[in-house]
Amino acid sequence: MTYCLAIRVDEGLVFASDSRTNAGADHISTHSKMHRFGGDGERTLTLLSSGNLATSQGVVTRIRRDIRSSARINLTNVEDLQAAAEYVGGISTEEQEKHRGVRPGANTEEFVPEASFILGGQIHGGRPGIEQIYPEGNFVRASISTPYLQIGEVKYGKPILDRIITRRTTLDAALKCALVSMDSTMRSNATVGPPVEYHVYRTDTFSPGTHHLLEEDDEYLLGLRRMWAENIRTAFENLPSAPVAVEDDTTVQIPRRRP
């Protein structure tokens, strides 16, 4: 399984992803699900992937090949983020059809080539943004009321995002929130796991931003996990007790039936 998220705040963008692609009883596979493009002073784009690994790898390979060959449409020349999302969505649907064709007669319930993506960044002349691209190729943008997007195993990491993230949240706080959201998901679902990647981009810099990889034994990741658990436990213990109703000692006498 996978968990990827992107957060949009006024100061910029935060992206985070796990790296686990398979978690069996005796075998764990990892693969990066974060791919960065640009950072050349004119545009910067980050792509997060979830779903069928063959499809997502095929999409990334095609994107990089189009850039190398200076294709008529590629991520270095699309005019805005919406056009970039349309481009990625089109490649995704093509890759899915190609993988379906490789397995003629296969049970579609057993083989699902679908993949989802989050594409975010900033292109000169536009504001930073994040788009979620569905397997069908269509996409939606994060809203003002919900300035984050998730793909993969989303339910465990959502509560902290709902409670903390607003458009006015600082980049530093948004990053901490993203990593706590990731840790909460890893704790509750063994198919999501480290290394954890994150990328932070500051609005209007058009730079590569800050990218970091946290291994399973990373001191910061371990400390964050420990402190979050301790503070959650402390907060719980400090909650007021629920009111307890006074027991009614009145005994209702039930009349006995006469024979």
Side-chain angles (χ1 to χ4, degrees):
M1 198 57 181
T2 295
Y3 181 45
C4 301
L5 72 152
I7 299 171
R8 178 191 176 190
V9 294
D10 290 338
E11 290 186 5
L13 306 173
V14 172
F15 304 88
S17 62
D18 82 310
S19 301
R20 186 163 292 177
T21 58
N22 180 67
D26 55 359
H27 180 69
I28 294 176
S29 299
T30 61
H31 192 277
S32 176
K33 302 165 189 175
M34 180 181 294
H35 313 277
R36 295 170 295 137
F37 306 90
D40 53 4
E42 196 273 335
R43 65 186 60 206
T44 181
L45 297 167
T46 298
L47 184 70
L48 306 177
S49 61
S50 170
N52 183 273
L53 187 58
T55 297
S56 60
Q57 286 183 329
V59 169
V60 173
T61 299
R62 168 78 177 276
I63 290 173
R64 296 194 185 281
R65 185 170 67 241
D66 285 353
I67 292 174
R68 287 196 305 269
S69 64
S70 299
R72 185 177 62 86
I73 300 176
N74 65 74
L75 284 186
T76 67
N77 61 27
V78 290
E79 62 179 355
D80 54 31
L81 193 59
Q82 179 174 332
E86 290 175 352
Y87 164 74
V88 174
I91 294 177
S92 177
T93 55
E94 290 176 11
E95 286 295 320
Q96 291 175 61
E97 286 304 314
K98 182 174 70 176
H99 291 304
R100 285 191 181 98
V102 169
R103 299 184 53 166
N107 188 334
T108 56
E109 294 182 357
E110 296 177 356
F111 179 67
V112 181
E114 294 181 351
S116 299
F117 300 89
I118 293 176
L119 177 67
Q122 185 178 17
I123 296 176
H124 192 73
R127 295 287 297 166
I130 50 177
E131 309 270 1
Q132 181 170 344
I133 304 169
Y134 297 102
E136 296 77 12
N138 57 330
F139 55 91
V140 296
R141 177 168 291 188
S143 66
I144 294 177
S145 59
T146 309
Y148 67 85
L149 295 172
Q150 303 167 281
I151 53 176
E153 191 62 66
V154 303
K155 55 183 177 292
Y156 302 109
K158 189 175 186 297
I160 181 66
L161 299 173
D162 286 336
R163 290 182 181 274
I164 300 298
I165 298 299
T166 71
R167 291 293 296 273
R168 292 183 295 276
T169 303
T170 66
L171 267 180
D172 180 64
L175 175 58
K176 285 191 291 186
C177 188
L179 293 176
V180 169
S181 176
M182 182 65 67
D183 181 70
S184 299
T185 303
M186 291 191 297
R187 183 176 180 85
S188 297
N189 191 317
T191 64
V192 177
V196 173
E197 286 186 83
Y198 68 81
H199 177 218
V200 180
Y201 169 75
R202 190 170 293 277
T203 298
D204 293 336
T205 60
F206 301 99
S207 68
T210 300
H211 173 260
H212 203 65
L213 184 72
L214 302 176
E215 298 286 354
E216 187 171 10
D217 59 351
D218 185 271
E219 290 185 6
Y220 175 77
L221 188 61
L222 294 175
L224 185 77
R225 179 177 301 162
R226 183 183 64 257
M227 291 184 66
W228 178 245
E230 290 174 354
N231 281 285
I232 283 287
R233 190 174 297 109
T234 299
F236 176 79
E237 292 171 350
N238 289 333
L239 289 174
S241 298
V244 178
V246 178
E247 293 186 6
D248 187 355
D249 59 358
T250 302
T251 304
V252 178
Q253 298 294 331
I254 301 176
R256 299 176 61 184
R257 281 190 177 184
R258 295 183 178 179

